[in-house]
Amino acid sequence: MRRAVCPGSFDPVTNGHLDIVGRASRLFDEVIIGVLINQSKTGLFTIEERIEMLGEATASYENVRVASFHGLLVDFCRDQGAAVVIKGLRAVSDFDYELQMAQMNIGLSGVETLFMPTNPLYSFLSSSLVKDVVKWGGDASAYVPDFVGERLGTRLKQT
Ligand code: ADP
């Protein structure tokens, strides 16, 4: 079985993430979304909330599942039996760091990284930007699923 991992923070999931996951799901037998647990960074949503939202947003894809991990991505890939990491590239600015990580990961364990060009509709989109837009009352409905927009609105009112 050919498995790929799509790693990230997903705080929260955006349509940019979903575009990459959906395209990856057509290329691989199974896609595992890996939610990174970063102990030094508290997000807006807990890891459990992010996993729940990702599960709901990808419910229509039969070959996509969601898991969390901490530590090295290559160890997570090994545990999941995945030989490939999929990364979306939004702009040239993403490339420098992504290239370093891809080269480190292949050196560490032989895990390959495949880069997918972002859908131009989402090339400027990040979870942080969406949080800012919603925080200041902007309309993010084109950038996140409706239920994510609602949860963002509720959460940001509480902060
Ligand atoms: P961000 O907070 O910038 O959205 P994440 O860590 O949640 O970052 O993103 C995880 C991965 O998803 C990124 O490494 C990138 O490969 C991909 N990604 C994020 N946003 C987009 C987007 N708008 N278009 C394509 N890929 C994206």
Side-chain angles (χ1 to χ4, degrees):
M1 181 169 304
R2 284 146 53 96
R3 291 194 188 89
V5 165
C6 291
S9 314
F10 306 100
D11 185 35
V13 59
T14 68
N15 291 344
H17 297 132
L18 293 172
D19 177 63
I20 297 292
V21 169
R23 285 158 62 197
S25 78
R26 293 194 284 276
L27 298 174
F28 290 86
D29 299 316
E30 188 172 40
V31 172
I32 303 124
I33 302 177
V35 183
L36 174 67
I37 303 170
N38 184 346
Q39 263 122 2
S40 59
K41 207 166 133 192
T42 45
L44 183 65
F45 293 101
T46 65
I47 297 295
E48 291 71 26
E49 289 172 322
R50 295 180 213 178
I51 291 175
E52 191 195 316
M53 286 188 274
L54 279 161
E56 189 169 340
T58 59
S60 60
Y61 298 115
E62 278 179 9
N63 62 341
V64 174
R65 60 187 173 81
V66 190
S68 61
F69 73 102
H70 59 87
L72 291 177
L73 175 59
V74 292
D75 291 338
F76 177 67
C77 290
R78 186 200 54 223
D79 296 345
Q80 298 291 328
V84 175
V85 169
I86 305 275
K87 285 303 200 78
L89 280 187
R90 283 169 283 200
V92 181
S93 50
D94 278 347
F95 185 71
D96 264 359
Y97 185 56
E98 292 294 349
L99 183 65
Q100 284 175 25
M101 285 198 295
Q103 288 169 332
M104 178 58 86
N105 286 339
I106 200 164
L108 283 174
S109 73
V111 165
E112 291 284 3
T113 300
L114 298 186
F115 295 118
M116 261 191 198
T118 186
N119 179 329
L121 284 176
Y122 307 128
S123 57
F124 53 87
L125 183 57
S126 68
S127 299
S128 327
L129 202 49
V130 169
K131 283 183 270 196
D132 271 350
V133 169
V134 175
K135 182 172 172 187
W136 300 109
D139 177 10
S141 56
Y143 307 121
V144 289
D146 288 346
F147 76 94
V148 173
E150 281 160 26
R151 289 184 70 159
L152 264 172
T154 310
R155 179 58 51 89
L156 288 164
K157 263 188 222 138
Q158 296 161 351
T159 57

